[in-house]
């Protein structure tokens, strides 16, 4: 029972970290048709900014999260204006891959030059650093915090896309961009806001998940494939798909590492192979996407 609860707790937390970060990439790939392999680099920027804010500026953890998200979005603005805006929904995927890999290496070099090529821990506040006693055992409070962040993120995104005027304009811009333009919808603004949202989610996930996915010099490359796999398994552009894929892969990977650590990430990728075999377009993907 104790082992099962430990596996479940860690799997939920790991899965939610994957979801918070990967849903931003899913939005980019599913809605704007951009294979943004630099998404993990922006998550890394968020982690570095939060670590610097807490350790060097002595700000509170919550303030550091806000600074990291806003700071990362500000850093991303020149990239959106000068590069990403040219490839929304129309460029060859190979061009997108080459460009975003180049951005990844650029960000890695600049960030490590500024902050140094070392592991960047993000100290937790006392409220989140200790265990929470639930009677028959204790659970790390930070794990529960990550799970709560994932649930709030999923619900907020669903509300934003399905129930707001912005969501209506976004879906119109995605499905019929020409018609949306003719109706007076500023699609370039819609795409810019969506890009900022995706980058902000990546930075947020990089900060709250730093206890699980450590912020280190090659974070962007180390987890690039992992984030891409989550989107592919879940189906690009699908909130439920990204959430389901994150939970399944998080459970498979965590269970494997608890019970057979010598196999490494074997069970993670075995699960990927099985799901893709059964659902070639992803769990909630569309055949024409």
């Amino acid at each position: 029972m104790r082992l099962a609860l430990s596996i479940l707790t860690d799997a939920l937390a790991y899965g939610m970290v994957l979801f918070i970060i990967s849903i931003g990439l899913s939005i980019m790939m599913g809605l704007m048709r951009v294979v943004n392999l630099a998404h993990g680099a922006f998550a890394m920027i968020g982690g570095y900014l939060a670590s610097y804010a807490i350790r060097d500026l002595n700000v509170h953890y919550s303030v550091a999260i806000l600074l990291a998200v806003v700071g990362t979005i500000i850093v991303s603005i020149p990239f959106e204006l000068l590069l990403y805006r040219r490839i929304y929904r129309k460029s060859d995927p190979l061009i997108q891959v080459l460009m975003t890999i180049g951005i990844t290496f650029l960000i890695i070099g600049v960030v490590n030059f500024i902050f140094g090529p070392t592991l960047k821990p993000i100290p937790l506040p006392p409220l989140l650093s200790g265990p929470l006693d639930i009677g028959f055992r204790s659970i790390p409070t930070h794990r529960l915090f990550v799970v709560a962040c994932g649930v709030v993120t999923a619900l907020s995104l669903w509300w934003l896309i399905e129930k707001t005027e912005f969501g209506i304009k976004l879906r119109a811009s995605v499905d019929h961009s020409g018609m949306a333009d003719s109706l007076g919808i500023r699609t370039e603004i819609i795409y810019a806001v969506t890009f900022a949202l995706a980058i902000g989610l990546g930075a947020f996930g990089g900060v709250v998940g730093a206890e699980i996915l450590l912020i280190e010099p090659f974070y962007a490359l180390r987890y690039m494939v992992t984030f891409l796999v989550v989107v592919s398994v879940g189906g690009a552009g699908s909130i439920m798909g990204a959430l389901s894929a994150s939970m399944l892969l998080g459970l498979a990977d965590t269970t494997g590492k608890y019970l057979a650590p010598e196999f490494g990430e074997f069970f993670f990728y075995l699960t990927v192979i099985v799901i893709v075999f059964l659902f070639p377009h992803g769990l909630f993907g569309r055949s024409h996407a």
Side-chain angles (χ1 to χ4, degrees), residues 14 42 52 61 80 82 119 137 145 160 188 237-238:
Y14 178 44
F42 290 108
Y52 175 77
Y61 183 76
E80 198 277 335
L82 301 176
L119 185 71
R137 72 153 298 163
F145 171 71
L160 178 67
E188 71 276 9
S238 170

Side-chain angles (χ1 to χ4, degrees), residues 10-288:
D10 287 348
L12 279 174
Y14 178 44
M16 283 302 185
V17 170
L18 291 181
F19 168 72
I20 296 172
I21 299 177
S22 299
I23 189 59
L25 177 58
S26 182
I27 290 172
M28 290 284 290
M29 290 180 62
L31 301 185
M32 292 185 287
R33 308 294 190 267
V34 175
V35 184
N36 184 22
L37 298 186
H39 189 72
F42 290 108
M44 182 180 74
I45 290 175
Y48 270 78
L49 289 177
S51 177
Y52 175 77
I54 294 175
R55 299 169 66 202
D56 295 275
L57 302 181
N58 296 315
V59 304
H60 190 268
Y61 183 76
S62 58
V63 178
I65 292 177
L66 180 61
L67 290 176
V69 172
V70 174
T72 304
I73 291 175
I74 292 174
V75 169
S76 74
I77 290 175
F79 291 99
E80 198 277 335
L81 291 174
L82 301 176
L83 297 174
Y84 284 94
R85 187 165 293 190
R86 299 172 181 267
I87 63 174
Y88 289 152
R89 299 179 58 80
K90 56 187 178 184
S91 288
D92 186 322
L94 179 59
I95 295 176
Q96 298 178 0
V97 168
L98 293 176
M99 188 194 80
T100 54
I101 286 180
I103 292 173
T104 298
F105 281 104
L106 173 65
I107 290 175
I108 288 175
V110 172
V111 167
N112 285 295
F113 175 77
I114 295 174
F115 296 102
T118 57
L119 185 71
K120 298 298 178 184
I122 300 179
L124 296 173
L127 183 64
L128 299 178
S129 59
L132 178 67
D133 189 356
I134 59 174
F136 58 95
R137 72 153 298 163
S138 296
I139 297 178
T141 307
H142 179 259
R143 296 290 195 267
L144 298 179
F145 171 71
V146 170
V147 173
C149 287
V151 172
V152 171
T153 298
L155 293 175
S156 299
L157 278 176
W158 173 83
W159 175 80
L160 178 67
I161 294 175
E162 299 293 336
K163 300 295 182 180
T164 67
E165 182 180 354
F166 172 79
I168 294 172
K169 291 181 177 179
L170 173 59
R171 284 180 277 124
S173 300
V174 169
D175 294 333
H176 303 286
S177 58
M179 181 64 71
D181 282 328
S182 66
L183 292 174
I185 296 176
R186 299 287 298 277
T187 55
E188 71 276 9
I189 295 179
I190 296 295
Y191 286 153
V193 173
T194 305
F195 177 85
L197 174 64
I199 295 301
L201 287 169
F204 178 59
V207 177
V208 300
E211 290 288 307
I212 299 172
L213 303 183
L214 301 180
I215 304 298
E216 45 91 12
F218 293 98
Y219 178 100
L221 294 177
R222 184 182 300 277
Y223 301 113
M224 176 191 292
V225 173
T226 302
F227 303 146
L228 190 62
V229 162
V230 171
V231 176
S232 301
V233 169
S238 170
I239 298 174
M240 184 56 67
L243 182 59
S244 301
S246 298
M247 292 299 100
L248 287 174
L249 295 177
L251 181 61
D253 192 46
T254 303
T255 303
K257 288 179 178 178
Y258 262 92
L259 302 181
E262 65 275 11
F263 282 85
E265 296 184 337
F266 170 80
F267 294 101
F268 179 92
Y269 289 105
L270 176 62
T271 305
V272 172
I273 292 171
V274 171
I275 294 176
V276 171
F277 177 77
L278 296 175
F279 304 92
H281 303 291
L283 293 171
F284 290 83
R286 297 179 294 180
S287 60
H288 56 81

